[in-house]
Amino acid sequence: MFNNLFAQEGYGRKVVEELASKPYFGRGYLHNGDRKAAEFIRKEFKEFKLQPLGDSYFQSYSFSANTFPVEPTVRVNGKKLQLAINYLVDAASPAIAGKFAIQPITITSSTPEYIESLVTNTAWKGKVLFIDEDETLKLLKAPEWKVVLDQLKDRGLFEGIILNSKQKLKWRALTYQQKKACIITQNLKLDPTSTNQLAINIAPKLNPKHITQNVCGYIPGTSNTDSTLVITAHYDHIGGIGKKVYFPGANDNASGTALLLYLAKYYAENPPKYNMVFLAFSGEEIGLQGSKYYANNPLLPLAKIKFLVNLDMAGTGDDGIQVVNGTEFRKEFDRMVALNAQHKFLPDVKIRSTMNRSDHAPFFEKGVPSFFIYTLGGIDAYHDIFDRYETLPFTNFTNYAELLKHFIATF
């Protein structure tokens, strides 16, 4: 069945629809979202008859996570803002509650002396600063602005910060809390002729030991070798806030997880030449926690890995795929390009140099040959509430899977 090209996309859609649904709550660190996703993947591995690595499909570990179990309330001049529509809480925000005068300020420098003048300004004591981020970035370069913002989040006589922008609202997950509460607003207008007021209640919970798990499966090869090919993808996403607002993460990375599961199913039914390991990581969105843990605690020796392919955001492909580390492993990249040219799977296979922001990086740093591949074009939903199953196009999911199968066959 799964050799059928149409079945590939059908299976991928089924997996993404499941993992991006509300019961998984963004596959983050509230309401057991990541645990539920891991259990779904485990059941698929078991049904495919993949062998576990060790005594279990799960590799458990823990990290710290700042969570928001109670939905915040934010009112500006008496008007309630809508979470994820008008504003988001900064992922590192500590608790804050009360009513505060809003103090608009303009950031013009990043020198230590200027920053010190900001954090020691007694006129701002007990107030919340309002900063227009778009205007700030006209005056400062992004790295300079980050230096200032990190300092403002860490100290000062003011109570908190409102960062306002015209840009769409994006969220993330973090392992820590900073000292100053912060919210990010979109297109918030203040009356410059009056005193603006903020009423706010944010009650985060910093969990110092969130227990989670990687999901690890294994298919023995048909040749008498211990060489191993590894397919990885992160199944976690950035979770949610409160009990209603969650970030589905259909493309990032339910789609990559779906592609990993499809390949696991395919090779379970069509035994590969080399051993194949399938690693579904948690904790990617909070600092590559799962892949770092596995790379430091491998269940099979890293030296046995012939090649690793890390899959992230596999749900579009209108403009082809991007291959990170293609410059480092040019022979393998050129083979993939040649296969694509021969079979016309995708519009393009683009090359990119090294990048350390996905789960291949901890392996690559330890000498494991690896690619990180993601699809290009299509929807621009990313780390927001709009990365949903219903709008994910699956433009080239089938052809992408076929290219990977042909590429794996070259080893």
Side-chain angles (χ1 to χ4, degrees), residues 1-8 11 262 265 269:
M1 171 184 174
F2 280 82
N3 290 325
N4 183 289
L5 295 184
F6 295 104
Q8 296 178 18
Y11 178 73
Y262 164 73
K265 171 70 172 176
E269 295 183 346

Side-chain angles (χ1 to χ4, degrees), residues 33-85:
D34 57 342
R35 180 75 185 194
K36 293 174 183 176
E39 181 61 23
F40 173 82
I41 296 165
R42 184 196 69 81
K43 288 180 178 177
E44 295 294 279
F45 279 3
K46 187 174 181 179
E47 182 177 328
F48 304 160
K49 295 183 171 54
L50 269 68
Q51 298 179 18
L53 291 180
D55 298 330
S56 170
Y57 290 106
F58 287 170
Q59 182 189 41
S60 296
Y61 68 103
S62 66
F63 52 76
S64 173
N66 196 32
T67 64
F68 297 85
V70 178
E71 182 171 327
T73 56
V74 176
R75 288 182 171 85
V76 175
N77 298 328
K79 182 180 179 181
K80 185 176 181 180
L81 303 188
Q82 291 182 275
L83 180 63
I85 302 297

Side-chain angles (χ1 to χ4, degrees), residues 85-104:
I85 302 297
N86 306 124
Y87 82 99
L88 282 172
V89 181
D90 187 282
S93 184
I96 186 173
K99 295 181 180 179
F100 308 95
I102 299 174
Q103 176 68 54

Side-chain angles (χ1 to χ4, degrees), residues 233-255:
H234 74 91
Y235 68 82
D236 69 308
H237 193 52
I238 54 177
I241 303 171
K243 294 183 179 179
K244 296 179 181 179
V245 173
Y246 70 101
F247 301 84
N251 197 28
D252 182 18
N253 187 35
S255 65

